Amino acid sequence: MPGMQGAFLSVDHIGIAVDNLSEAIERFQKLLGGPPESIEEVKEYDVKTAFFGVGETNLELLEPTSLDSPIAKFLQKRGSGTHHVCLSVSNLEGLLQALKSAGVRLIDETPRKGAHGKRVAFVHPNALCGVLLELSEQMPHNEDPSR
Amino acid sequence: MPGMQGAFLSVDHIGIAVDNLSEAIERFQKLLGGPPESIEEVKEYDVKTAFFGVGETNLELLEPTSLDSPIAKFLQKRGSGTHHVCLSVSNLEGLLQALKSAGVRLIDETPRKGAHGKRVAFVHPNALCGVLLELSEQMPHNEDPSR
């Protein structure tokens, strides 16, 4: 599938499920030598998050705010640790179509709205040896209703 | 601890434990649209690896070549998936001393030799909410015996 290779721009973030965000922030702050760049609640996913930038990517700590959160289920099953990897892509819609045609199992066959004016979609971990992969595309300003 | 923040340069790679490297390469190739940039055996760690570049970082697939490999033990316990995150740092030795002084639990208190002319050290997953973190520093050419 020539052409798809250019769709992948960077690792946007590494999502880490934690039981207690304040305690996790303290731990990562001790490692990285400074506070997180942002702390916020993402209501669509029932999580509180903190982002620590490292180069062009971020470590995203995720604490569930309800038992229905997918992060709460992950913590119950596996304990705290790396939950997902997010790649920044261009042309998410075209990429999802190409992946579907190639037989890659997707959780989302079309993009949905993510945080920070982004469109996102998840690839099923069964397609990638147990890795839950998020694909994320920055929406153009004129298509972003949150701006 | 001001000053340590600048020690972290980038996410060097995300290590993914897999049962079968050939099959895993096929899966990630289907996703990313191209072959891995390198495939090699790292005898010190009893693993075969494949690297796929994404922006400034890499997805590193790891298949154990012996039952003694830490990757084999991880697969038995947790199944395939993200095994570790590696951050590229400057002044690894100084950083390890600072982390030790700050009470961060380390697997390696001094750097050891890694692959590709690098010095590496691991932080204990208990210090970072279950995340196994590798710290990696490029050795100066004149100190790298493999060159």
Side-chain angles (χ1 to χ4, degrees):
Chain A
M1 282 162 292
M4 278 176 52
Q5 211 161 3
F8 294 90
L9 307 175
S10 62
V11 174
D12 184 80
H13 64 265
I14 299 166
I16 298 164
V18 303
D19 293 299
N20 181 311
L21 189 64
S22 310
E23 194 196 298
I25 287 173
E26 262 184 50
R27 288 174 177 273
F28 279 82
Q29 192 163 312
K30 208 184 253 185
L31 172 79
L32 296 166
E37 282 163 26
S38 68
I39 300 178
E40 64 182 297
E41 190 164 345
V42 184
K43 295 208 168 160
E44 296 95 313
Y45 294 94
D46 287 348
V47 287
K48 281 189 295 186
T49 69
F51 275 86
F52 288 90
V54 180
E56 69 180 15
T57 187
N58 295 277
L59 305 181
E60 178 190 31
L61 307 179
L62 296 148
E63 181 198 314
T65 54
S66 90
L67 289 175
D68 295 329
S69 163
I71 300 299
K73 287 168 191 159
F74 178 88
L75 287 168
Q76 278 162 21
K77 204 170 156 188
R78 318 244 340 183
S80 62
T82 305
H83 174 264
H84 69 273
V85 173
C86 177
L87 304 185
S88 178
V89 304
S90 60
N91 188 10
L92 177 56
E93 203 150 354
L95 177 61
L96 290 172
Q97 281 173 8
L99 293 175
K100 195 183 164 189
S101 302
V104 175
R105 186 167 168 194
L106 302 172
I107 293 175
D108 304 298
E109 295 192 353
T110 53
R112 53 178 158 134
K113 193 176 168 301
H116 307 121
K118 290 184 177 175
R119 275 190 284 232
V120 303
F122 283 87
V123 179
H124 198 283
N126 284 1
L128 296 173
C129 309
V131 177
L132 174 61
L133 189 77
E134 180 179 6
L135 303 171
S136 164
E137 178 184 37
Q138 187 67 53
M139 283 166 80
H141 288 197
N142 57 1
E143 290 180 33
D144 175 4
S146 71
R147 279 173 186 265
Chain B
M1 282 161 291
M4 278 175 52
Q5 212 162 3
F8 295 89
L9 307 175
S10 63
V11 175
D12 184 79
H13 63 263
I14 300 165
I16 298 164
V18 303
D19 293 298
N20 180 312
L21 188 63
S22 311
E23 194 195 298
I25 287 173
E26 261 183 52
R27 289 173 176 274
F28 279 82
Q29 193 161 312
K30 209 184 252 187
L31 172 80
L32 296 167
E37 282 161 26
S38 68
I39 300 178
E40 64 182 294
E41 190 164 343
V42 183
K43 295 206 169 164
E44 295 94 313
Y45 293 94
D46 286 348
V47 287
K48 282 189 295 186
T49 68
F51 275 87
F52 288 90
V54 179
E56 70 181 15
T57 186
N58 295 277
L59 305 181
E60 178 190 32
L61 307 179
L62 298 149
E63 182 199 313
T65 54
S66 90
L67 290 174
D68 296 329
S69 162
I71 300 299
K73 288 168 191 158
F74 179 88
L75 287 169
Q76 279 163 22
K77 203 170 158 188
R78 319 244 341 183
S80 63
T82 305
H83 174 264
H84 69 274
V85 173
C86 177
L87 304 185
S88 178
V89 304
S90 60
N91 187 11
L92 178 56
E93 204 149 353
L95 177 61
L96 290 172
Q97 280 173 9
L99 293 176
K100 195 182 164 188
S101 302
V104 175
R105 187 168 169 194
L106 303 172
I107 293 175
D108 303 297
E109 294 192 354
T110 53
R112 53 178 158 135
K113 194 178 167 302
H116 307 122
K118 290 184 176 175
R119 274 189 285 232
V120 302
F122 283 86
V123 180
H124 198 282
N126 284 1
L128 296 172
C129 309
V131 177
L132 174 60
L133 189 77
E134 181 180 5
L135 302 171
S136 164
E137 178 184 37
Q138 188 68 52
M139 283 165 80
H141 289 198
N142 57 1
E143 290 181 31
D144 176 3
S146 72
R147 281 174 187 263

